Amino acid sequence: MFIIAIFLIFFPIFSMAQIRQEFWSRLVMNKTIDNKWNLGGDIQYRTQENYHLQDNQRFENELLQSIRITVYYKIVEEHKLSLIASPIVYFRSFDVVNKQGDIVDYREYRWVVGAMQQYTAFKKISLRSRLQYEMRFLKIDSPNIILQHRPRWQLQATFPLCKINQNFRINYLTSEEMFIANQENNTFFEQNRFQNALQLKYNFIETNVGLQKTLHKVRKEWLKRDQWYISVNFLF
């Protein structure tokens, strides 16, 4: 019902927003230190079409490069409740500025604090609720650095599809994530992501392949982003 309500609210915007085709990839590594501490890191690489031409060549131009270091601390083992902090988050984003395909890039530093992650289970369905607060320093390579505060909340569900053997499982994963931003004394709904994926889990490797639909507000304009993505996670 929640997802249906979100869809009905934003349906008029989806019908009017400019559409952009993108590809997202992500490599994640997580290492268990002890029964309380985990250390994680990820790198991302994204590409995009020339949206001035809308040529559907989503692998044609760079969109983003990033690196992130994350620390997890379990505070309630019984409910799998953890605190999350990412002291090192660096993004480099690219924008196609004209039909000729000229690119400009922007650098960004983030600091994620007070993040929380909670896992629950309903029969065989696994639920995850994640609440994060990001302090974003935008355009750090320019004289006018912009500070943005952005809380984000994600609800994710994993449905088991089949079990090949003891070490190999196939699941269906779906999630909804909302972003609220405050920038220069202006608070606004910044982004909404809806994700579907097929998840393959084999031993310590988890691979997610799917499609994500994003509604994104950029410079007072709503953009609809269609994103193919793949994520490979190594759990040590």
Side-chain angles (χ1 to χ4, degrees):
M1 292 297 295
F2 174 76
I3 294 176
I4 294 175
I6 292 294
F7 177 79
L8 291 177
I9 291 172
F10 291 107
F11 179 77
I13 301 176
F14 268 101
S15 62
M16 294 184 294
Q18 182 189 94
I19 300 175
R20 299 187 182 182
Q21 307 295 331
E22 301 173 356
F23 170 73
W24 290 20
S25 63
R26 186 181 182 208
L27 177 64
V28 184
M29 289 181 285
N30 283 284
K31 170 66 176 177
T32 299
I33 307 301
D34 55 32
N35 61 346
K36 288 287 187 180
W37 294 92
N38 279 42
L39 180 64
D42 70 79
I43 57 175
Q44 297 186 65
Y45 180 72
R46 304 175 188 173
T47 59
Q48 61 181 324
E49 69 171 348
N50 184 334
Y51 58 86
H52 297 281
L53 300 174
Q54 293 197 334
D55 54 9
N56 293 321
Q57 302 298 317
R58 66 181 72 219
F59 301 100
E60 184 178 20
N61 303 286
E62 288 187 298
L63 173 60
L64 181 138
Q65 302 166 1
S66 75
I67 183 170
R68 174 179 10 225
I69 303 296
T70 305
V71 178
Y72 304 82
Y73 178 72
K74 292 181 181 179
I75 58 176
V76 182
E77 176 66 29
E78 180 183 359
H79 300 290
K80 298 182 179 179
L81 184 63
S82 300
L83 294 179
I84 307 173
S86 298
I88 301 176
V89 187
Y90 174 76
F91 279 76
R92 184 182 180 187
S93 302
F94 302 86
D95 188 24
V96 183
V97 295
N98 54 37
K99 292 183 178 181
Q100 288 70 40
D102 294 327
I103 299 287
V104 296
D105 66 311
Y106 307 96
R107 316 297 172 90
E108 173 187 343
Y109 176 77
R110 297 182 189 179
W111 186 34
V112 182
V113 293
M116 185 175 294
Q117 196 167 35
Q118 182 177 2
Y119 288 85
T120 59
F122 177 73
K123 295 184 178 180
K124 293 184 178 182
I125 301 173
S126 176
L127 299 177
R128 188 186 76 180
S129 179
R130 186 181 68 189
L131 179 65
Q132 293 186 109
Y133 160 73
E134 296 177 335
M135 184 178 292
R136 305 177 68 197
F137 300 89
L138 307 173
K139 299 184 178 181
I140 59 175
D141 53 339
S142 70
N144 301 314
I145 299 176
I146 300 172
L147 174 61
Q148 183 185 96
H149 304 277
R150 188 170 74 167
R152 51 192 288 187
W153 176 69
Q154 182 191 69
L155 181 62
Q156 177 178 288
T158 303
F159 301 83
L161 297 180
C162 65
K163 182 177 179 181
I164 307 301
N165 54 46
Q166 189 65 29
N167 299 318
F168 187 21
R169 300 184 180 187
I170 302 176
N171 303 317
Y172 166 69
L173 183 149
T174 184
S175 69
E176 179 82 21
E177 186 168 20
M178 295 183 294
F179 300 71
I180 304 293
N182 178 275
Q183 180 177 319
E184 299 175 340
N185 296 319
N186 181 30
T187 300
F188 55 96
F189 188 95
E190 191 256 356
Q191 193 173 157
N192 184 82
R193 295 178 184 172
F194 178 70
Q195 184 183 101
N196 289 280
L198 188 66
Q199 182 183 80
L200 309 177
K201 297 187 71 172
Y202 182 75
N203 287 335
F204 61 89
I205 303 175
E206 178 183 291
T207 302
N208 301 320
V209 180
L211 175 65
Q212 180 171 270
K213 298 282 188 178
T214 297
L215 187 63
H216 190 191
K217 190 173 186 180
V218 179
R219 294 185 292 272
K220 299 182 179 181
E221 179 185 7
W222 285 103
L223 305 177
K224 178 186 174 186
R225 302 182 184 271
D226 289 343
Q227 297 143 340
W228 295 350
Y229 78 92
I230 181 169
S231 173
V232 181
N233 307 332
F234 294 90
L235 310 173
F236 301 107

